[in-house]
Amino acid sequence: MLPPDARLFGLIPAAGHGSRMGAALPKQYLVLQGRTVAEHTVSRLLACERLVRLVVVVAPDDRRWPELPVATAPRVSTVPGGATRAESVLAGLQALTDAADDDWVLVHDMARPCLRLADIEKLLQACGPQGAILALPVADTIKQADAAGQISATLPRSEIWRALTPQLFPIGALRHALEQALSKSQAITDEASALELIGWRPTLVEGHADNIKVTWPADLPLAGFFLQQQHQQQQESECWQPSV
Ligand SMILES: Nc1ccn([C@@H]2O[C@H](COP(=O)(O)OP(=O)(O)OP(=O)(O)O)[C@@H](O)[C@H]2O)c(=O)n1
Ligand SMILES: C[C@](O)(CO)[C@H](O)COP(=O)(O)O
């Protein structure tokens, strides 16, 4: 469990340009259910009342972010990102000047707008001393491919999980691990892999399958469906009255 006396900060890497989406604007500014992906995602994190404040890491040439209502939320601030996700996350950590090394940070992709508050709370509760990440066990059989696109191995499915975000770590440890990985030009695609490189073994916490990362064009209508489904479920639960 997150240490009761530790403060919790949020960090959203949002400095990417969404090349795989191939849209006319960065995917975090595409609209789903009447709001941008960015507004959905930031709102999901701000729903966590334990979050002291939230740093959003934006592209240095981002002119859209300041136009969003969430940009003026009291707990939100921004910092320019870098050329890679890891550099952007490190820039966000360096902006947490009011945080101590033993405070904790929740890193969540701006591209994951369907995150549930219940999953954030589950992560905070299940977190071990070496951090934790939301993840999903895989249902399909996993094949490893060779350079020619042919099967080179079938991996043990019971040991395979798909990493999601948020990913939760002590701020000092994450900053050190990212600095180490970047100084050695080690390719890392999530925060946990940087900690693994310094020998940490973060805890895997099962999340929900609707916490998808909007990456490809086909992900957009799916994320829209999940947002609509979650909104409907919330309305039904608010209207539900226990029978006396
Ligand atoms: N230099 C970068 C690259 C990515 N990200 C962020 O990291 C998250 C996950 O990255 P990804 O889905 O790859 O986003 P993009 O890099 O924008 O997408 P693509 O790789 O298709 O260009 C996104 O919220 C993205 O904005 C970032 O902050 N800084
Ligand atoms: C962090 C992540 O979402 C875990 O699956 C993923 O690694 C991000 O990868 P991306 O290439 O930065 O989208």
Side-chain angles (χ1 to χ4, degrees):
M1 181 168 75
L2 188 69
D5 58 345
R7 294 186 303 165
L8 179 66
F9 292 79
L11 190 161
I12 299 183
H17 291 90
S19 56
R20 287 171 284 181
M21 180 58 73
L25 65 166
K27 61 188 179 182
Q28 53 268 39
Y29 297 113
L30 297 176
V31 174
L32 289 173
Q33 301 296 311
R35 299 172 81 197
T36 62
V37 169
E39 289 169 286
H40 284 293
T41 302
V42 170
S43 303
R44 297 297 172 105
L45 236 54
L46 290 180
C48 176
E49 293 177 359
R50 184 161 177 185
L51 221 58
V52 171
R53 70 185 185 87
L54 172 62
V55 174
V56 178
V57 187
V58 298
D61 62 350
D62 187 329
R63 300 290 175 267
R64 291 183 176 87
W65 169 258
E67 295 166 11
L68 300 185
V70 288
T72 58
R75 286 184 284 169
V76 175
S77 63
T78 57
V79 68
T84 66
R85 174 205 172 82
E87 288 173 62
S88 292
V89 172
L90 185 56
L93 291 174
Q94 289 163 345
L96 294 175
T97 51
D98 51 333
D101 279 358
D102 57 358
D103 286 330
W104 287 61
V105 64
L106 202 67
V107 183
H108 182 58
D109 294 332
M110 186 63 96
R112 290 183 188 270
C114 305
L115 173 64
R116 298 164 183 242
L117 177 59
D119 281 357
I120 297 176
E121 291 165 345
K122 182 177 181 182
L123 188 64
L124 299 181
Q125 190 63 32
C127 178
Q130 297 196 349
I133 71 168
L134 284 184
L136 284 171
V138 296
D140 306 299
T141 295
I142 302 297
K143 303 294 186 185
Q144 188 168 358
D146 62 20
Q150 294 175 304
I151 295 173
S152 55
T154 293
L155 301 180
R157 183 169 67 185
S158 60
E159 299 171 17
I160 305 288
W161 287 61
R162 288 195 292 123
L164 309 174
T165 66
Q167 303 200 359
L168 177 62
F169 296 106
I171 288 171
L174 179 56
R175 185 175 57 242
H176 168 70
L178 285 172
E179 287 167 349
Q180 287 275 85
L182 290 168
S183 67
K184 296 174 182 174
S185 301
Q186 289 169 316
I188 55 166
T189 56
D190 74 340
E191 289 65 58
S193 45
L195 275 300
E196 293 158 44
L197 287 171
I198 62 169
W200 283 38
R201 298 169 66 87
T203 303
L204 291 164
V205 178
E206 186 168 352
H208 279 81
D210 57 4
N211 179 13
I212 65 170
K213 184 163 67 75
V214 175
T215 305
W216 309 100
D219 297 327
L220 215 52
L222 192 53
F225 167 76
F226 286 142
L227 289 169
Q228 183 181 29
Q229 192 183 47
Q230 289 176 358
H231 178 67
Q232 191 174 336
Q233 286 168 353
Q234 183 179 2
Q235 283 189 318
E236 287 166 2
S237 65
E238 287 166 355
C239 296
W240 181 80
Q241 297 296 333
S243 54
V244 294

